[in-house]
Amino acid sequence: MATPAAEGTRARAPGRPRDASIDGRVTAATRALLAEQGYDATTVQAIAARAGVHASAIYRRWPSRIELIEAAVSPAADLAQFHPTGDLRRDLRRFMRAYVAMFAEPAAQAAVRPLLVHYQTAGAERDASGFLNISTRPQFAEILGAAAPGSVDPAIDPDDVFDMLLGSLLARSLVPTVASRRRPLERLVDLVIRAVEPRVQQA
Amino acid sequence: MATPAAEGTRARAPGRPRDASIDGRVTAATRALLAEQGYDATTVQAIAARAGVHASAIYRRWPSRIELIEAAVSPAADLAQFHPTGDLRRDLRRFMRAYVAMFAEPAAQAAVRPLLVHYQTAGAERDASGFLNISTRPQFAEILGAAAPGSVDPAIDPDDVFDMLLGSLLARSLVPTVASRRRPLERLVDLVIRAVEPRVQQA
């Protein structure tokens, strides 16, 4: 039951307001360390020193270095301010480019494979937090939901398409025989558009 | 210029005929070692001892342990005898199941991530031999080529679809948030069929 003092005021988390600038400083320091010194050297202590914060400030925000590294090399932050325009091709392109740009960065290049190895060791089931997708999956569904009428079949499950697309983007970065072909991203945009559109079109 | 002795005989590589059974024994020994002792312990010496062959017999067949491990955990051998029926859904299912089965094996589970790390270290451009695809890419094109008329748009580039599919299959094994969803493979078959079919169908 609300106390009189709380009535009429907006709900707020207890304690001091969290300093949002720390989040950005910490993830930037994480990316810099990954790029310069690699995955193993990117410890919470090293990140804290680089960012000029206490390790405790990091642990208040992320349970471990794994989640912090995931956050630092995820395109989620880049996509957080993105709202679909309704132009399916344009929106898909924007979404996919965020992943391609992220995977191309030295920080992600240093982190992605060790994270995959970590997931294997930790057990995939127990460690489904997901540097690669969990925070952009809803945004992908929004893109399909906002598309112009007739461009997305209602029978399509956006999560299935997202899974397919995520793997395809990952392969462009991780798998030599795919990466070396250097196919334009637009070819993948085309295939996704084809996969989601209604099967029988009115001429 | 052919010598008289060679005339009228079939072309044959010089030296003794290669013992095909050695290939199978060596790849089986490689899979067993990967599953039991892991990637690092699966050396050419250990494989030779396990298979009961000389290391030189291995090096005559594969340039290094990397290519041997790639061959041992590739579905290419399983798909070598596969010929498309012309039923696109059935053929795609068969092809994709070979990958899913391979990725699920302990040997592949032990090898795939270290191979990805190796590719990064070695440089993706120089190391595009490809455990994941190079030898099944033509078979995938055959499947699309054999499909019943009207089921595959001639404008589709099979290599683009293969790249997309390979990544999607890989993600089902490697990426926790995809793997943990345990979606039926048929959903991915559906998306591939939709992506390749002609865009405007006659009703």
Side-chain angles (χ1 to χ4, degrees), chain A residues 110-186:
Chain A
V112 169
R113 293 169 186 81
L115 281 175
L116 291 174
V117 173
H118 165 79
Y119 296 144
Q120 180 180 33
T121 312
E125 295 310 309
R126 279 173 290 130
D127 202 342
S129 56
F131 76 106
L132 280 168
N133 51 2
I134 200 162
S135 50
T136 65
R137 193 179 281 275
Q139 284 168 289
F140 186 76
E142 273 180 35
I143 289 175
L144 296 194
S151 51
V152 177
D153 189 331
I156 284 290
D157 179 340
D159 281 333
D160 288 347
V161 186
F162 180 84
D163 288 349
M164 180 180 76
L165 180 59
L166 180 69
S168 306
L169 292 167
L170 195 59
R172 289 175 71 94
S173 167
L174 286 184
V175 180
T177 50
V178 177
S180 63
R181 294 183 68 238
R182 300 186 177 286
R183 302 297 290 161
L185 189 63
E186 204 66 19

Side-chain angles (χ1 to χ4, degrees), chain B residues 8 14 33 53 74 79 83 101 117 120 143 149 186 190:
Chain B
L33 278 169
V53 304
S74 163
L79 288 168
H83 300 290
V117 173
Q120 179 180 34
I143 289 175
E186 205 65 19
D190 284 340

Side-chain angles (χ1 to χ4, degrees), chain B residues 25-62:
Chain B
R25 275 157 57 203
V26 169
T27 52
T30 305
R31 279 193 297 273
L33 278 169
L34 284 169
E36 292 167 20
Q37 303 194 29
Y39 181 83
D40 290 338
T42 305
T43 62
V44 169
Q45 292 304 323
I47 295 166
R50 178 102 178 204
V53 304
H54 287 289
S56 61
I58 292 179
Y59 284 117
R60 272 198 299 275
R61 289 165 170 79
W62 295 276

Side-chain angles (χ1 to χ4, degrees), chain B residues 74-104:
Chain B
S74 163
D78 180 37
L79 288 168
Q81 304 306 317
F82 170 62
H83 300 290
T85 65
D87 178 336
L88 182 60
R89 178 175 295 274
R90 184 174 161 189
D91 292 341
L92 284 175
R93 195 185 288 140
R94 167 78 177 81
F95 184 88
M96 289 157 69
R97 280 187 179 156
Y99 271 95
V100 169
M102 185 274 278
F103 284 143

